[in-house]
């Protein structure tokens, strides 16, 4: 690995159309002031998250963080204090929500390298305040042109071993994150990417203080990281997970960001970085000389990659308009269907129901939405999105399946979204639940002009493929394991089998809800397929259950995804509530921690509350530019 210091690229001027964009000289001065004496010695950004005046971080002192902040001038919330501080700095310096979202994401590439970064993909939902319009960017990884529906199968048609594929080149899709950053920057942002990525480059150079979560994630992956020399060298210094309190620097990633700032993201798709990505994925070097499945992505696959601007999935819930991610994510569709179902279930407003009845409905709605998602949603022509999110379809499904006294037997059969509704007979064919894994992070940003960015990014599993691109400091994703390796059910078409250039189905659910055309709530979470249930539960907690956003995030989670069991956190399992749910027929399986949400609630007049996890994943960091 190279440890060559990155070349210095001057900040680019903000575009003339930038709302209140500072001049280059002013921005530079203000940037340095805001970021403290970075150039001299401080390892981290020095902006207190949310809490008024700047406080200097010192080496080995983590940047302060808090899970909730209310105020004005813009807001940023993410799982990480340094990333949130960088996003807030961008807002303070006149960048807008898109600029701050990209800067925050790039910082997460440094501090959350096992969940995000240049080697991964993601989805952005963006509210443009001037146009009062919501758009999305699909930065999902793509399969190589060589992929077919049987690529992830053995000769006898059974699935390849999942864990073996994960830590191999075969799972590596063409990264979409850099292309998304560029698209977001050009389409919605006011800063040049060269400027937006500067703080993350500095963070990679100066380092961040290792916390328990980073240590634990490294330790949990140590065996597979040790297998790949560049990963072992970077993430297991001296053969161990970095100690809590030590400063972790990533000079190679700093150099990568410097290249992106200088050359643009084409470096990842056509330049030296593209060559390195392809050669690493094609023949991942191993420490013991053993071979892993080779990857199939080619330079041509990288050259033809595009981040795609797409219309959001749009639906209504109560007096809100709900915008989510379309295919290849199933998030927007499943969230919309579940909310529609909840409106159809009899028994009055969710807010008045006892907790067990509320959670019973949540579980029935999410499991039903998963039955339909597994059968119909994938990156293919013909996903019946409009039908799946129509209220009439939800009415038919509610009538077929919902019983306030008893959970429907799992797996719930899928419905028929054909435009002809009113049949209350329970359908016959059901499928087993799809598998899912976790390695993702979510950030939410609002600016003083009213723009909103909600962005989930991932490298799939925590630590992705485990393969670091030598000399470039980032891990390659294992997103292609999000395809179904074999059809979920013999004889039932599976929309999520691999295919050439196809994007694997995702559950990522960055969501924006508006009321009378104005932003009302924006949120998202990591957690594989549990993302959908987490986003639903957090939204309902604050919309219907009378919880503040941070309390809705903190509330114990239940995730019912049409498997035999529903996962539940402590606070549900082992309590009277768990007993009540069991009496309704829910088989609960304990899961100590589900998801890591962040969100922003809009309070009117540009006041916002930004919120993050108080404790999950070690707690997140919410901040506003002008705290109250
Ligand atoms: N790869 C998963 C998806 O796209 C996300 C993994 C996670 O959230 O941790 O749905």
């Amino acid at each position: 690995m190279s440890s060559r210091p990155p070349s210095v690229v001057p900040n680019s001027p903000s575009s003339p159309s930038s709302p209140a964009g500072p001049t280059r000289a002013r921005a530079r001065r203000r940037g340095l002031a805001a970021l403290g004496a970075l150039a001299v010695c401080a390892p981290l950004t020095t902006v207190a998250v949310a809490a008024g005046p700047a406080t200097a971080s010192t080496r080995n002192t983590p940047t302060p963080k808090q899970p909730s902040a209310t105020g004005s001038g813009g807001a940023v919330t993410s799982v990480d204090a340094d990333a949130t501080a960088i996003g807030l700095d961008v807002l303070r310096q006149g960048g807008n929500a898109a600029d701050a979202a990209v800067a925050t994401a790039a910082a997460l590439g440094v501090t959350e390298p096992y969940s995000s970064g240049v080697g991964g993909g993601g989805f952005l939902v963006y509210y443009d305040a001037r146009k009062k319009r919501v758009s999305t960017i699909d930065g999902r990884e793509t399969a190589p042109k060589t992929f077919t529906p049987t690529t992830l199968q053995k000769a006898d048609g059974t699935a390849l071993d999942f864990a073996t594929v994960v830590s191999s080149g075969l799972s590596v899709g063409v990264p979409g994150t850099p292309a998304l950053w560029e698209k977001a920057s050009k389409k919605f942002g006011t800063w040049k990417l060269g400027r937006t990525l500067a703080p993350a480059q500095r963070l990679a150079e100066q380092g961040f203080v290792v916390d328990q979560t980073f240590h634990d994630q490294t330790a949990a992956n140590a065996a597979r990281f040790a297998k790949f020399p560049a990963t072992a060298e970077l993430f297991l210094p001296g053969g161990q997970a970095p100690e809590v309190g030590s400063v972790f620097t990533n000079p190679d990633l700093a150099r990568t960001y410097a290249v992106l700032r200088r050359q643009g993201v084409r470096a990842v798709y056509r330049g030296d970085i593209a060559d390195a990505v392809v050669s690493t994925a094609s023949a991942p070097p191993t420490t013991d000389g053993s071979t892993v499945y080779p990857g199939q992505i080619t330079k041509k696959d990288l050259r033809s990659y595009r981040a795609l601007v797409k219309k959001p999935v749009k639906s209504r819930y109560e007096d809100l308009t709900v915008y989510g991610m379309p295919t290849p994510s199933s998030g927007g569709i499943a969230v919309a269907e579940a909310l529609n179902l909840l409106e159809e279930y009899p028994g009055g407003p969710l807010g008045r129901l006892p907790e067990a009845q509320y959670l019973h409905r949540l579980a029935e709605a999410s499991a039903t939405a998963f039955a339909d998602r597994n059968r119909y949603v994938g990156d293919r022509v013909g996903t019946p999105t409009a039908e799946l999110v129509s209220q009439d379809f939800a009415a038919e499904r509610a009538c077929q399946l919902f019983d306030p006294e008893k959970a429907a037997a799992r797996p719930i059969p899928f419905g028929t979204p054909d435009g002809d509704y009113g049949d209350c007979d329970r359908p016959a064919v059901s499928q087993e639940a799809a598998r899912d894994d976790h390695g993702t992070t979510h950030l939410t940003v609002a600016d003083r002009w009213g723009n909103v960015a909600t962005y989930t990014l991932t490298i799939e599993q925590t630590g992705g493929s485990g393969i670091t691109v030598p000399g470039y400091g980032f891990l390659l994703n294992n997103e292609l394991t999000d395809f179904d390796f074999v059809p979920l059910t013999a004889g039932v078409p599976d929309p999520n089998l691999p295919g050439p250039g196809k994007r694997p189905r995702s559950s990522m659910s960055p969501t924006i809800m508006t009321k009378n055309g104005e932003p009302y709530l924006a949120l998202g979470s990591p957690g594989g397929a549990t993302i959908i249930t987490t986003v639903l539960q957090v939204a309902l907690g604050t919309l219907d259950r009378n919880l503040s956003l941070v309390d809705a995030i903190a509330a114990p989670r239940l995730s019912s995804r049409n498997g035999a069991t529903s996962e539940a956190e402590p606070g549900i399992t082992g309590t009277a509530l768990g007993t009540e749910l069991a009496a309704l027929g829910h088989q609960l399986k304990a899961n100590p921690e589900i998801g890591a949400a962040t969100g922003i609630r809009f309070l009117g007049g540009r006041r916002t509350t930004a919120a993050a996890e108080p404790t999950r994943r070690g707690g997140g960091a919410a901040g506003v530019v002008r705290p109250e």
Side-chain angles (χ1 to χ4, degrees):
M1 259 188 317
S2 143
S3 56
R4 187 152 58 88
S7 49
V8 176
V9 179
N11 287 333
S12 357
S14 57
S15 96
S17 63
S18 160
T23 64
R24 178 196 296 211
R26 236 170 73 219
R28 252 214 199 108
R29 275 197 308 276
R30 287 165 56 184
L32 285 176
L35 294 173
L38 272 179
V40 186
C41 64
L44 297 169
T45 62
T46 57
V47 178
V49 178
T55 54
S57 282
T58 51
R59 193 164 280 275
N60 294 17
T61 305
T63 303
K65 61 182 175 184
Q66 60 185 60
S68 181
T70 297
S72 57
V76 180
T77 172
S78 80
V79 296
D80 179 74
D82 292 312
T84 293
I86 280 175
L88 287 171
D89 274 341
V90 170
L91 295 178
R92 284 194 187 94
Q93 292 173 52
N96 74 4
D99 303 317
V102 171
T104 306
L108 290 170
V110 179
T111 59
E112 292 279 310
Y114 308 144
S115 303
S116 63
V118 170
F123 298 109
L124 173 81
V125 178
Y126 194 78
Y127 175 82
D128 182 326
R130 202 162 46 81
K131 297 186 179 145
K132 291 195 179 297
R133 187 190 299 155
V134 178
S135 334
T136 76
I137 304 178
D138 165 3
R140 186 66 161 170
E141 298 90 332
T142 52
K145 288 279 180 295
T146 49
F147 261 41
T148 73
T150 58
T151 298
L152 300 175
Q153 299 172 7
K154 298 180 200 157
D156 65 1
T158 58
L160 291 176
D161 177 60
F162 186 82
T164 309
V165 177
V166 166
S167 303
S168 82
L170 190 58
S171 64
V172 178
V174 176
T177 289
L180 186 152
W181 289 351
E182 186 173 77
K183 187 74 92 186
S185 192
K186 285 202 170 134
K187 192 169 165 57
F188 306 122
T190 58
W191 286 12
K192 293 262 165 51
L193 202 56
R195 181 179 182 192
T196 310
L197 298 183
Q201 180 188 334
R202 284 197 288 263
L203 184 61
E205 279 161 22
Q206 307 276 351
F208 64 92
V209 180
V210 170
D211 66 6
Q212 193 68 47
T213 305
F214 185 83
H215 172 86
D216 292 350
Q217 288 179 341
T218 314
N221 278 286
R224 70 190 190 105
F225 284 0
K227 196 174 169 72
F228 301 106
T231 309
E233 198 178 331
L234 178 59
F235 295 115
L236 299 170
Q240 301 290 325
E243 271 178 40
V244 175
S246 63
V247 173
F248 185 89
T249 60
N250 190 339
D252 286 348
L253 183 59
R255 189 169 72 91
T256 297
Y257 282 150
V259 171
L260 296 189
R261 294 178 62 208
R262 209 170 41 237
Q263 299 177 12
V265 304
R266 66 183 166 277
V268 177
Y269 296 100
R270 304 174 168 265
D272 292 354
I273 304 179
D275 294 348
V277 165
V278 168
S279 63
T280 306
S282 308
T286 56
T287 33
D288 59 4
S290 61
T291 51
V292 297
Y293 287 129
Q296 297 184 10
I297 57 175
T298 62
K299 290 187 194 174
K300 198 160 172 225
D301 291 321
L302 264 75
R303 269 203 308 280
S304 52
Y305 185 84
R306 299 285 177 276
L308 305 170
V309 175
K310 294 181 168 174
K311 279 197 180 141
V313 172
K314 185 176 168 188
S315 64
R316 295 282 298 174
Y317 179 65
E318 298 172 349
D319 55 353
L320 303 173
T321 306
V322 182
Y323 296 96
M325 206 57 222
T327 60
S329 188
S330 60
I333 293 172
V335 167
E337 183 183 340
L339 291 173
N340 290 342
L341 286 164
L342 289 164
E343 288 187 309
E344 295 298 329
Y345 294 162
L350 283 185
R352 300 227 191 98
L353 294 170
E355 189 73 7
Q357 265 300 322
Y358 156 62
L359 290 177
H360 169 57
R361 279 146 210 267
L362 175 70
E364 295 303 276
S366 60
T368 305
F370 266 91
D372 296 325
R373 165 242 200 223
N374 288 348
R375 168 63 185 85
Y376 296 109
V377 181
D379 181 23
R380 62 179 183 116
V381 177
T383 296
T385 301
E387 291 303 335
L388 288 168
V389 307
S390 75
Q391 199 63 43
D392 289 344
F393 178 61
E396 179 174 272
R397 296 292 276 150
C399 175
Q400 289 167 345
L401 296 161
F402 184 70
D403 181 342
E405 304 301 327
K406 194 168 177 299
R410 308 298 199 255
I412 285 172
F414 54 83
T416 309
D418 59 0
D420 176 15
Y421 304 122
D423 173 9
C424 281
D425 291 343
R426 187 182 159 101
V429 188
S430 53
Q431 297 174 286
E432 293 307 316
R435 70 169 302 137
D436 64 87
D437 291 275
H438 308 168
T440 302
T441 191
H442 182 82
L443 62 99
T444 315
V445 178
D447 67 27
R448 72 179 96 149
W449 300 282
N451 303 300
V452 182
T454 186
Y455 179 19
T456 315
L457 58 166
T458 184
I459 58 172
E460 198 338 72
Q461 202 147 310
T462 303
S465 63
I467 303 166
T468 298
V469 182
Y472 292 93
F474 64 88
L475 284 154
L476 291 169
N477 69 82
N478 66 300
E479 215 72 50
L480 303 184
T481 59
D482 272 358
F483 285 121
D484 294 337
F485 285 26
V486 294
L488 278 188
T489 307
V492 178
D494 187 327
N496 191 37
L497 291 174
K502 194 170 172 179
R503 300 178 184 216
R505 181 176 61 209
S506 170
S507 300
M508 291 189 277
S509 310
T511 304
I512 294 179
M513 299 185 181
T514 62
K515 192 181 215 164
N516 303 323
E518 295 290 330
Y520 191 76
L521 178 66
L523 76 165
S525 176
T530 68
I531 292 171
I532 290 166
T533 55
T534 293
V535 166
L536 276 169
Q537 197 175 349
V538 172
L540 294 168
T542 191
L543 297 175
D544 290 317
R545 300 293 293 174
N546 208 19
L547 298 175
S548 68
L549 183 53
V550 72
D551 287 347
I553 288 174
R557 293 195 181 128
L558 174 67
S559 184
S560 193
R561 307 191 301 283
N562 208 24
T565 54
S566 299
E567 289 169 44
E569 289 184 330
I572 297 177
T573 52
T575 68
L577 185 55
T579 310
E580 281 181 78
L581 286 166
L584 286 164
H586 295 279
Q587 288 188 45
L588 301 184
K589 184 173 150 212
N591 182 334
E593 191 171 297
I594 299 174
T598 72
I600 297 177
R601 178 77 190 258
F602 298 83
L603 307 172
R606 300 277 181 268
R607 284 179 71 236
T608 56
T609 291
E613 296 287 352
T615 54
R616 293 184 189 90
R617 280 216 197 169
V624 292
V625 170
R626 276 194 299 282
E628 288 175 358

